[in-house]
Amino acid sequence: MKKITIVSPCYNEEDNVEACHETVRAIFERELPGYEREHIFIDNCSSDRTVEILKGIAARDPSVKIVVNARNFGVFRSTFNGLRHATGDATLVMLPVDLQDPPELLPEFVKLWEQGYEIVAGARSTREETFALRTSRKIFYRLVNALSDFELSPDVGEFQLIDRKVLEAVLKHNDHYPYIRGIIASVGFKRIIIPYTWRARKRGVSKHNLFMLVDQALNAIFAFTKAPMRACTFVGTGIAAASILFALFSVVAYLFGWGVGPRGTTTIIVALFFLSGIQLLFIGMLGEYITSIHNQVRGGPMVIERELVNIGNESAAEAPPARIAKAKARA
């Protein structure tokens, strides 16, 4: 029997974790009876009853596994760490417990995976959200896609079913702040994209504020493209060339007596502040790269786990045949 792993990050989601578990369990019983279910919940140090509820679910259902983080490490770090505990033949990378990504698509994802697709990615073609936020997301995805060295499909998030070999390739990345959808896109493999409607949240409050969205956007741009630094080079070269041309023009104008206007300070002030702003912008871009390098070379664990529930000694780096051989050896 093949195993399907579902990874669900959560933070202060006491109103949603029970519904998420029941929805996934019902889908497997109704439409995927021939598959073993593994549902991993990663709690980001919730301050409400989320962990208590999850432990109650895990006590009733051994297919449910829980990773409790020592603090809030962010959705991408905690999800990537949760993938390390996945032991399935295929893994649904992220199913948030608010169910804005429809778990009803999982049977279709599994069917396409069985047909030979190693990545079955959901694309949020329609979003039940405000026009401003929807437009901002579209601009961001198009921008990243245009700047990336590889194709990053627009509107594709972490709602993807990936084969075991793809998961192993993803987990080889040692990134202090993993942009998971970008890593999946960068490893290649045979892919198919399924559009769906991203539903509005029914219970609870979203933890993704504007600052977090901007932080994730900058992480994507600086992690998977050289465009910011190249833009600095091109703009700097252009300004330097324009300055040389202006200097030559000033000399010619002086020799031919074309300079009839009084020399003022406006041009100097405007040029000074403009060039200073450009320099600060470029230093800021350079600082983003240096900060990323600094965090990477410092090392240390991506996530510190406080507690594991229903999780044994299986290694996420082991393929299913290796796990079977180990189980036979123990027997």
Side-chain angles (χ1 to χ4, degrees):
M1 182 180 293
K2 293 183 179 180
K3 181 189 290 187
I4 307 296
T5 299
I6 301 96
V7 178
S8 294
C10 52
Y11 174 66
N12 289 343
E13 294 285 3
E14 60 183 4
D15 297 328
N16 291 310
V17 288
E18 185 78 49
C20 177
H21 166 257
E22 288 298 324
T23 300
V24 172
R25 183 189 60 80
I27 290 173
F28 270 82
E29 291 182 353
R30 184 177 62 252
E31 301 183 57
L32 297 170
Y35 294 88
E36 183 181 354
R37 170 174 52 93
E38 179 183 59
H39 199 164
I40 303 176
F41 289 89
I42 306 100
D43 181 79
N44 242 331
C45 196
S46 296
S47 58
D48 61 2
R49 296 180 57 250
T50 300
V51 176
E52 178 184 344
I53 296 173
L54 286 174
K55 287 183 177 180
I57 296 173
R60 303 190 306 267
D61 185 355
S63 298
V64 172
K65 302 180 179 182
I66 308 172
V67 179
V68 183
N69 293 339
R71 67 171 177 84
N72 191 336
F73 288 91
V75 63
F76 285 148
R77 292 186 181 93
S78 60
T79 300
F80 193 89
N81 184 64
L83 293 174
R84 293 171 173 170
H85 295 284
T87 60
D89 300 272
T91 300
L92 187 63
V93 175
M94 183 191 295
L95 177 65
V97 296
D98 56 19
L99 300 183
Q100 291 185 270
D101 297 308
E104 295 80 11
L105 286 178
L106 184 57
E108 182 180 355
F109 282 12
V110 172
K111 182 180 179 180
L112 291 169
W113 168 64
E114 290 285 17
Q115 292 176 2
Y117 290 101
E118 293 149 322
I119 300 176
V120 183
R124 299 164 180 170
S125 58
T126 306
R127 297 173 182 267
E128 295 179 0
E129 59 184 5
T130 63
F131 174 78
L133 188 56
R134 184 168 58 250
T135 303
S136 299
R137 290 182 188 273
K138 287 184 177 180
I139 293 174
F140 161 71
Y141 280 116
R142 272 49 175 194
L143 177 63
V144 173
N145 195 39
L147 298 178
S148 297
D149 297 329
F150 53 88
E151 183 180 358
L152 187 62
S153 301
D155 303 320
V156 171
E158 283 71 35
F159 187 59
Q160 306 184 49
L161 184 72
I162 62 176
D163 187 79
R164 184 73 207 181
K165 65 173 83 67
V166 180
L167 177 62
E168 292 171 355
V170 169
L171 293 178
K172 289 179 180 178
H173 288 74
N174 181 24
D175 196 336
H176 77 284
Y177 190 2
Y179 188 63
I180 301 176
R181 68 190 70 173
I183 293 175
I184 295 175
S186 68
V187 298
F189 294 99
K190 187 177 181 181
R191 169 196 303 258
I192 187 172
I193 298 176
I194 306 299
Y196 68 92
T197 298
W198 194 59
R199 301 180 296 210
R201 172 185 276 260
K202 293 185 173 66
R203 295 176 296 272
V205 180
S206 175
K207 312 308 183 295
H208 284 76
N209 53 35
L210 180 60
F211 175 79
M212 292 179 63
L213 294 176
V214 172
D215 181 64
Q216 294 174 10
L218 291 177
N219 178 47
I221 293 174
F222 286 102
F224 287 97
T225 176
K226 302 175 183 177
M229 293 304 299
R230 288 182 177 176
C232 294
T233 301
F234 293 148
V235 174
T237 302
I239 292 177
S243 300
I244 293 174
L245 292 176
F246 180 76
L248 293 175
F249 174 79
S250 299
V251 172
V252 173
Y254 175 78
L255 294 176
F256 285 90
W258 294 344
V260 294
R263 300 294 191 273
T265 60
T266 302
T267 302
I268 297 176
I269 293 175
V270 171
L272 177 63
F273 279 91
F274 173 74
L275 293 177
S276 297
I278 291 293
Q279 288 175 342
L280 290 175
L281 174 63
F282 292 173
I283 291 172
M285 289 185 179
L286 185 60
E288 290 286 341
Y289 282 103
I290 293 175
T291 301
S292 179
I293 295 170
H294 174 67
N295 292 332
Q296 187 72 27
V297 299
R298 286 176 62 190
M302 179 186 300
V303 171
I304 299 175
E305 300 171 345
R306 179 165 61 88
E307 187 178 2
L308 300 176
V309 179
N310 285 350
I311 295 179
N313 297 321
E314 301 95 335
S315 170
E318 291 179 340
R323 296 199 312 273
I324 295 173
K326 178 184 285 188
K328 290 180 177 179
R330 286 198 298 262

